[in-house]
Amino acid sequence: MLNAINRLRVSGALIATVTAAALGTAPAQAAGSSTGTIAVSLNVTAACAVNGATSIAANLGQVGSIAFADQPGLFGNTDASMVATGGGSGLSVLCSPGSTPTFTVGSGANDASGVHYMASGSNKLAYHLYSDSGRTTEIGIGQPVSLGTATSTAFNVPIYGRVSSNGAVLAAGTYTDTVQVTLAW
């Protein structure tokens, strides 16, 4: 008899569960729950990207060029502006907002006595770099140029060049130099 009652209880519980499922309700469960948290973090360091780069590189490669127009052996002031690699009238520097980047024009391959020189073989020709189109503010070798405080807008860093034969007749040739630049933030 006890077995018959237990079978009736089990089948009654099964019928209640099937009925609850059919009606969209769940049978009563034991009450209780626990909560917790998950820590999520990311440390972002200040960074700058040059000329639209999509990643930060320790070696920027050639960031631009200044090409003076062809001249005869004797010429006066000749001006040119830097064209950024990829186009544009100056370097495009996008830095983390709030950072205070500086741009430094370093030494060239042919510098002497604090002056930049282009060379063609053993022949040298002095030239100067400026931060303004009027060519009144010269960028000295190793002199950092402050760009200000970064926002979400890129800085445009133009560089202007000037060369002159200074009354001397120069030997024919292609005069070149490579100048190091450093962006720090």
PDB file of all heavy atoms in Angstrom, residues 56-85:
ATOM      1  N   ILE A  56      51.068  53.170 -34.343  1.00  0.00           N
ATOM      2  CA  ILE A  56      52.204  53.934 -33.837  1.00  0.00           C
ATOM      3  C   ILE A  56      53.480  53.183 -34.203  1.00  0.00           C
ATOM      4  O   ILE A  56      53.595  51.988 -33.983  1.00  0.00           O
ATOM      5  CB  ILE A  56      52.105  54.090 -32.304  1.00  0.00           C
ATOM      6  CG1 ILE A  56      50.729  54.636 -31.901  1.00  0.00           C
ATOM      7  CG2 ILE A  56      53.218  54.973 -31.775  1.00  0.00           C
ATOM      8  CD1 ILE A  56      50.309  55.904 -32.587  1.00  0.00           C
ATOM      9  N   ALA A  57      54.434  53.920 -34.765  1.00  0.00           N
ATOM     10  CA  ALA A  57      55.690  53.300 -35.169  1.00  0.00           C
ATOM     11  C   ALA A  57      56.850  54.047 -34.533  1.00  0.00           C
ATOM     12  O   ALA A  57      56.843  55.269 -34.455  1.00  0.00           O
ATOM     13  CB  ALA A  57      55.824  53.323 -36.691  1.00  0.00           C
ATOM     14  N   ALA A  58      57.843  53.307 -34.076  1.00  0.00           N
ATOM     15  CA  ALA A  58      59.036  53.933 -33.504  1.00  0.00           C
ATOM     16  C   ALA A  58      59.869  54.579 -34.597  1.00  0.00           C
ATOM     17  O   ALA A  58      60.504  55.601 -34.388  1.00  0.00           O
ATOM     18  CB  ALA A  58      59.865  52.902 -32.741  1.00  0.00           C
ATOM     19  N   ASN A  59      59.859  53.991 -35.800  1.00  0.00           N
ATOM     20  CA  ASN A  59      60.592  54.549 -36.922  1.00  0.00           C
ATOM     21  C   ASN A  59      59.575  55.038 -37.948  1.00  0.00           C
ATOM     22  O   ASN A  59      58.880  54.246 -38.569  1.00  0.00           O
ATOM     23  CB  ASN A  59      61.505  53.505 -37.548  1.00  0.00           C
ATOM     24  CG  ASN A  59      62.322  54.064 -38.696  1.00  0.00           C
ATOM     25  OD1 ASN A  59      62.116  55.195 -39.142  1.00  0.00           O
ATOM     26  ND2 ASN A  59      63.251  53.274 -39.188  1.00  0.00           N
ATOM     27  N   LEU A  60      59.490  56.346 -38.111  1.00  0.00           N
ATOM     28  CA  LEU A  60      58.509  56.926 -39.020  1.00  0.00           C
ATOM     29  C   LEU A  60      58.925  56.844 -40.479  1.00  0.00           C
ATOM     30  O   LEU A  60      58.121  57.081 -41.369  1.00  0.00           O
ATOM     31  CB  LEU A  60      58.272  58.400 -38.655  1.00  0.00           C
ATOM     32  CG  LEU A  60      57.713  58.659 -37.264  1.00  0.00           C
ATOM     33  CD1 LEU A  60      57.685  60.145 -36.974  1.00  0.00           C
ATOM     34  CD2 LEU A  60      56.337  58.038 -37.126  1.00  0.00           C
ATOM     35  N   GLY A  61      60.182  56.536 -40.738  1.00  0.00           N
ATOM     36  CA  GLY A  61      60.654  56.534 -42.116  1.00  0.00           C
ATOM     37  C   GLY A  61      60.712  57.966 -42.647  1.00  0.00           C
ATOM     38  O   GLY A  61      60.782  58.921 -41.887  1.00  0.00           O
ATOM     39  N   GLN A  62      60.660  58.123 -43.940  1.00  0.00           N
ATOM     40  CA  GLN A  62      60.682  59.463 -44.534  1.00  0.00           C
ATOM     41  C   GLN A  62      59.298  60.076 -44.367  1.00  0.00           C
ATOM     42  O   GLN A  62      58.330  59.560 -44.906  1.00  0.00           O
ATOM     43  CB  GLN A  62      61.072  59.410 -46.005  1.00  0.00           C
ATOM     44  CG  GLN A  62      61.164  60.797 -46.611  1.00  0.00           C
ATOM     45  CD  GLN A  62      61.673  60.788 -48.044  1.00  0.00           C
ATOM     46  OE1 GLN A  62      62.440  59.913 -48.414  1.00  0.00           O
ATOM     47  NE2 GLN A  62      61.240  61.747 -48.814  1.00  0.00           N
ATOM     48  N   VAL A  63      59.208  61.186 -43.646  1.00  0.00           N
ATOM     49  CA  VAL A  63      57.917  61.821 -43.377  1.00  0.00           C
ATOM     50  C   VAL A  63      57.570  62.905 -44.375  1.00  0.00           C
ATOM     51  O   VAL A  63      56.443  63.383 -44.412  1.00  0.00           O
ATOM     52  CB  VAL A  63      57.852  62.381 -41.934  1.00  0.00           C
ATOM     53  CG1 VAL A  63      57.956  61.257 -40.916  1.00  0.00           C
ATOM     54  CG2 VAL A  63      58.908  63.437 -41.707  1.00  0.00           C
ATOM     55  N   GLY A  64      58.525  63.313 -45.182  1.00  0.00           N
ATOM     56  CA  GLY A  64      58.268  64.346 -46.174  1.00  0.00           C
ATOM     57  C   GLY A  64      59.522  64.671 -46.955  1.00  0.00           C
ATOM     58  O   GLY A  64      60.581  64.078 -46.742  1.00  0.00           O
ATOM     59  N   SER A  65      59.388  65.641 -47.871  1.00  0.00           N
ATOM     60  CA  SER A  65      60.550  66.056 -48.665  1.00  0.00           C
ATOM     61  C   SER A  65      60.416  67.534 -49.032  1.00  0.00           C
ATOM     62  O   SER A  65      59.323  68.059 -49.150  1.00  0.00           O
ATOM     63  CB  SER A  65      60.676  65.209 -49.920  1.00  0.00           C
ATOM     64  OG  SER A  65      59.530  65.374 -50.735  1.00  0.00           O
ATOM     65  N   ILE A  66      61.557  68.164 -49.190  1.00  0.00           N
ATOM     66  CA  ILE A  66      61.635  69.543 -49.667  1.00  0.00           C
ATOM     67  C   ILE A  66      62.464  69.496 -50.944  1.00  0.00           C
ATOM     68  O   ILE A  66      63.634  69.113 -50.915  1.00  0.00           O
ATOM     69  CB  ILE A  66      62.292  70.469 -48.630  1.00  0.00           C
ATOM     70  CG1 ILE A  66      61.465  70.492 -47.343  1.00  0.00           C
ATOM     71  CG2 ILE A  66      62.466  71.872 -49.204  1.00  0.00           C
ATOM     72  CD1 ILE A  66      62.110  71.250 -46.194  1.00  0.00           C
ATOM     73  N   ALA A  67      61.853  69.856 -52.054  1.00  0.00           N
ATOM     74  CA  ALA A  67      62.548  69.817 -53.345  1.00  0.00           C
ATOM     75  C   ALA A  67      62.592  71.228 -53.924  1.00  0.00           C
ATOM     76  O   ALA A  67      61.564  71.780 -54.308  1.00  0.00           O
ATOM     77  CB  ALA A  67      61.833  68.871 -54.301  1.00  0.00           C
ATOM     78  N   PHE A  68      63.770  71.809 -53.934  1.00  0.00           N
ATOM     79  CA  PHE A  68      63.959  73.134 -54.525  1.00  0.00           C
ATOM     80  C   PHE A  68      63.928  73.001 -56.051  1.00  0.00           C
ATOM     81  O   PHE A  68      64.372  71.989 -56.600  1.00  0.00           O
ATOM     82  CB  PHE A  68      65.299  73.739 -54.079  1.00  0.00           C
ATOM     83  CG  PHE A  68      65.358  74.041 -52.605  1.00  0.00           C
ATOM     84  CD1 PHE A  68      65.995  73.170 -51.735  1.00  0.00           C
ATOM     85  CD2 PHE A  68      64.792  75.198 -52.095  1.00  0.00           C
ATOM     86  CE1 PHE A  68      66.053  73.437 -50.374  1.00  0.00           C
ATOM     87  CE2 PHE A  68      64.848  75.482 -50.741  1.00  0.00           C
ATOM     88  CZ  PHE A  68      65.483  74.606 -49.875  1.00  0.00           C
ATOM     89  N   ALA A  69      63.407  74.012 -56.705  1.00  0.00           N
ATOM     90  CA  ALA A  69      63.389  74.020 -58.175  1.00  0.00           C
ATOM     91  C   ALA A  69      64.821  74.088 -58.708  1.00  0.00           C
ATOM     92  O   ALA A  69      65.720  74.627 -58.050  1.00  0.00           O
ATOM     93  CB  ALA A  69      62.585  75.231 -58.668  1.00  0.00           C
ATOM     94  N   ASP A  70      65.042  73.534 -59.881  1.00  0.00           N
ATOM     95  CA  ASP A  70      66.363  73.570 -60.521  1.00  0.00           C
ATOM     96  C   ASP A  70      66.837  75.015 -60.664  1.00  0.00           C
ATOM     97  O   ASP A  70      66.042  75.904 -60.962  1.00  0.00           O
ATOM     98  CB  ASP A  70      66.306  72.922 -61.904  1.00  0.00           C
ATOM     99  CG  ASP A  70      66.047  71.423 -61.838  1.00  0.00           C
ATOM    100  OD1 ASP A  70      66.062  70.852 -60.735  1.00  0.00           O
ATOM    101  OD2 ASP A  70      65.819  70.828 -62.916  1.00  0.00           O
ATOM    102  N   GLN A  71      68.140  75.237 -60.458  1.00  0.00           N
ATOM    103  CA  GLN A  71      68.731  76.573 -60.521  1.00  0.00           C
ATOM    104  C   GLN A  71      70.007  76.538 -61.347  1.00  0.00           C
ATOM    105  O   GLN A  71      70.694  75.521 -61.400  1.00  0.00           O
ATOM    106  CB  GLN A  71      69.074  77.077 -59.104  1.00  0.00           C
ATOM    107  CG  GLN A  71      67.904  77.194 -58.163  1.00  0.00           C
ATOM    108  CD  GLN A  71      66.883  78.226 -58.618  1.00  0.00           C
ATOM    109  OE1 GLN A  71      67.239  79.320 -59.058  1.00  0.00           O
ATOM    110  NE2 GLN A  71      65.615  77.864 -58.528  1.00  0.00           N
ATOM    111  N   PRO A  72      70.360  77.689 -61.954  1.00  0.00           N
ATOM    112  CA  PRO A  72      71.675  77.769 -62.593  1.00  0.00           C
ATOM    113  C   PRO A  72      72.740  77.859 -61.508  1.00  0.00           C
ATOM    114  O   PRO A  72      72.417  77.978 -60.323  1.00  0.00           O
ATOM    115  CB  PRO A  72      71.579  79.057 -63.412  1.00  0.00           C
ATOM    116  CG  PRO A  72      70.558  79.888 -62.700  1.00  0.00           C
ATOM    117  CD  PRO A  72      69.587  78.915 -62.089  1.00  0.00           C
ATOM    118  N   GLY A  73      74.011  77.844 -61.847  1.00  0.00           N
ATOM    119  CA  GLY A  73      75.114  77.859 -60.887  1.00  0.00           C
ATOM    120  C   GLY A  73      75.159  79.078 -59.987  1.00  0.00           C
ATOM    121  O   GLY A  73      75.757  79.031 -58.919  1.00  0.00           O
ATOM    122  N   LEU A  74      74.501  80.158 -60.356  1.00  0.00           N
ATOM    123  CA  LEU A  74      74.477  81.381 -59.547  1.00  0.00           C
ATOM    124  C   LEU A  74      73.023  81.806 -59.400  1.00  0.00           C
ATOM    125  O   LEU A  74      72.334  82.019 -60.394  1.00  0.00           O
ATOM    126  CB  LEU A  74      75.290  82.485 -60.255  1.00  0.00           C
ATOM    127  CG  LEU A  74      75.378  83.838 -59.579  1.00  0.00           C
ATOM    128  CD1 LEU A  74      76.131  83.728 -58.264  1.00  0.00           C
ATOM    129  CD2 LEU A  74      76.078  84.840 -60.495  1.00  0.00           C
ATOM    130  N   PHE A  75      72.535  81.886 -58.164  1.00  0.00           N
ATOM    131  CA  PHE A  75      71.124  82.227 -57.953  1.00  0.00           C
ATOM    132  C   PHE A  75      70.927  82.879 -56.586  1.00  0.00           C
ATOM    133  O   PHE A  75      71.736  82.719 -55.684  1.00  0.00           O
ATOM    134  CB  PHE A  75      70.226  80.984 -58.090  1.00  0.00           C
ATOM    135  CG  PHE A  75      70.530  79.888 -57.100  1.00  0.00           C
ATOM    136  CD1 PHE A  75      69.832  79.798 -55.906  1.00  0.00           C
ATOM    137  CD2 PHE A  75      71.516  78.944 -57.352  1.00  0.00           C
ATOM    138  CE1 PHE A  75      70.111  78.788 -54.991  1.00  0.00           C
ATOM    139  CE2 PHE A  75      71.794  77.933 -56.459  1.00  0.00           C
ATOM    140  CZ  PHE A  75      71.088  77.855 -55.265  1.00  0.00           C
ATOM    141  N   GLY A  76      69.840  83.615 -56.462  1.00  0.00           N
ATOM    142  CA  GLY A  76      69.473  84.250 -55.198  1.00  0.00           C
ATOM    143  C   GLY A  76      68.610  83.320 -54.370  1.00  0.00           C
ATOM    144  O   GLY A  76      68.585  82.099 -54.583  1.00  0.00           O
ATOM    145  N   ASN A  77      67.871  83.904 -53.399  1.00  0.00           N
ATOM    146  CA  ASN A  77      67.014  83.093 -52.525  1.00  0.00           C
ATOM    147  C   ASN A  77      66.029  82.264 -53.341  1.00  0.00           C
ATOM    148  O   ASN A  77      65.312  82.786 -54.193  1.00  0.00           O
ATOM    149  CB  ASN A  77      66.224  83.983 -51.568  1.00  0.00           C
ATOM    150  CG  ASN A  77      67.075  84.528 -50.450  1.00  0.00           C
ATOM    151  OD1 ASN A  77      68.178  84.050 -50.203  1.00  0.00           O
ATOM    152  ND2 ASN A  77      66.571  85.536 -49.764  1.00  0.00           N
ATOM    153  N   THR A  78      66.006  80.999 -53.049  1.00  0.00           N
ATOM    154  CA  THR A  78      65.050  80.083 -53.657  1.00  0.00           C
ATOM    155  C   THR A  78      64.341  79.360 -52.524  1.00  0.00           C
ATOM    156  O   THR A  78      64.988  78.827 -51.619  1.00  0.00           O
ATOM    157  CB  THR A  78      65.766  79.066 -54.574  1.00  0.00           C
ATOM    158  OG1 THR A  78      66.431  79.802 -55.598  1.00  0.00           O
ATOM    159  CG2 THR A  78      64.797  78.091 -55.185  1.00  0.00           C
ATOM    160  N   ASP A  79      63.015  79.400 -52.569  1.00  0.00           N
ATOM    161  CA  ASP A  79      62.208  78.836 -51.488  1.00  0.00           C
ATOM    162  C   ASP A  79      61.494  77.566 -51.932  1.00  0.00           C
ATOM    163  O   ASP A  79      61.179  77.391 -53.115  1.00  0.00           O
ATOM    164  CB  ASP A  79      61.165  79.850 -51.024  1.00  0.00           C
ATOM    165  CG  ASP A  79      61.790  81.096 -50.399  1.00  0.00           C
ATOM    166  OD1 ASP A  79      62.939  81.015 -49.927  1.00  0.00           O
ATOM    167  OD2 ASP A  79      61.118  82.148 -50.382  1.00  0.00           O
ATOM    168  N   ALA A  80      61.219  76.708 -50.963  1.00  0.00           N
ATOM    169  CA  ALA A  80      60.430  75.500 -51.185  1.00  0.00           C
ATOM    170  C   ALA A  80      59.748  75.142 -49.868  1.00  0.00           C
ATOM    171  O   ALA A  80      60.178  75.572 -48.795  1.00  0.00           O
ATOM    172  CB  ALA A  80      61.313  74.352 -51.656  1.00  0.00           C
ATOM    173  N   SER A  81      58.688  74.372 -49.977  1.00  0.00           N
ATOM    174  CA  SER A  81      57.951  73.908 -48.800  1.00  0.00           C
ATOM    175  C   SER A  81      57.986  72.396 -48.747  1.00  0.00           C
ATOM    176  O   SER A  81      58.039  71.731 -49.782  1.00  0.00           O
ATOM    177  CB  SER A  81      56.493  74.355 -48.873  1.00  0.00           C
ATOM    178  OG  SER A  81      56.406  75.751 -48.922  1.00  0.00           O
ATOM    179  N   MET A  82      57.924  71.876 -47.540  1.00  0.00           N
ATOM    180  CA  MET A  82      57.901  70.431 -47.383  1.00  0.00           C
ATOM    181  C   MET A  82      56.556  69.884 -47.849  1.00  0.00           C
ATOM    182  O   MET A  82      55.505  70.457 -47.566  1.00  0.00           O
ATOM    183  CB  MET A  82      58.117  70.024 -45.933  1.00  0.00           C
ATOM    184  CG  MET A  82      58.218  68.516 -45.787  1.00  0.00           C
ATOM    185  SD  MET A  82      58.250  67.947 -44.098  1.00  0.00           S
ATOM    186  CE  MET A  82      56.563  68.152 -43.649  1.00  0.00           C
ATOM    187  N   VAL A  83      56.604  68.775 -48.558  1.00  0.00           N
ATOM    188  CA  VAL A  83      55.413  68.019 -48.915  1.00  0.00           C
ATOM    189  C   VAL A  83      55.481  66.734 -48.098  1.00  0.00           C
ATOM    190  O   VAL A  83      56.477  66.007 -48.145  1.00  0.00           O
ATOM    191  CB  VAL A  83      55.376  67.698 -50.427  1.00  0.00           C
ATOM    192  CG1 VAL A  83      54.184  66.802 -50.750  1.00  0.00           C
ATOM    193  CG2 VAL A  83      55.333  68.987 -51.233  1.00  0.00           C
ATOM    194  N   ALA A  84      54.436  66.486 -47.321  1.00  0.00           N
ATOM    195  CA  ALA A  84      54.420  65.303 -46.459  1.00  0.00           C
ATOM    196  C   ALA A  84      54.305  64.039 -47.293  1.00  0.00           C
ATOM    197  O   ALA A  84      53.711  64.043 -48.373  1.00  0.00           O
ATOM    198  CB  ALA A  84      53.247  65.386 -45.485  1.00  0.00           C
ATOM    199  N   THR A  85      54.892  62.966 -46.802  1.00  0.00           N
ATOM    200  CA  THR A  85      54.734  61.670 -47.438  1.00  0.00           C
ATOM    201  C   THR A  85      53.244  61.361 -47.456  1.00  0.00           C
ATOM    202  O   THR A  85      52.577  61.462 -46.441  1.00  0.00           O
ATOM    203  CB  THR A  85      55.501  60.587 -46.654  1.00  0.00           C
ATOM    204  OG1 THR A  85      56.880  60.952 -46.650  1.00  0.00           O
ATOM    205  CG2 THR A  85      55.329  59.215 -47.272  1.00  0.00           C
TER     206      THR A  85
END
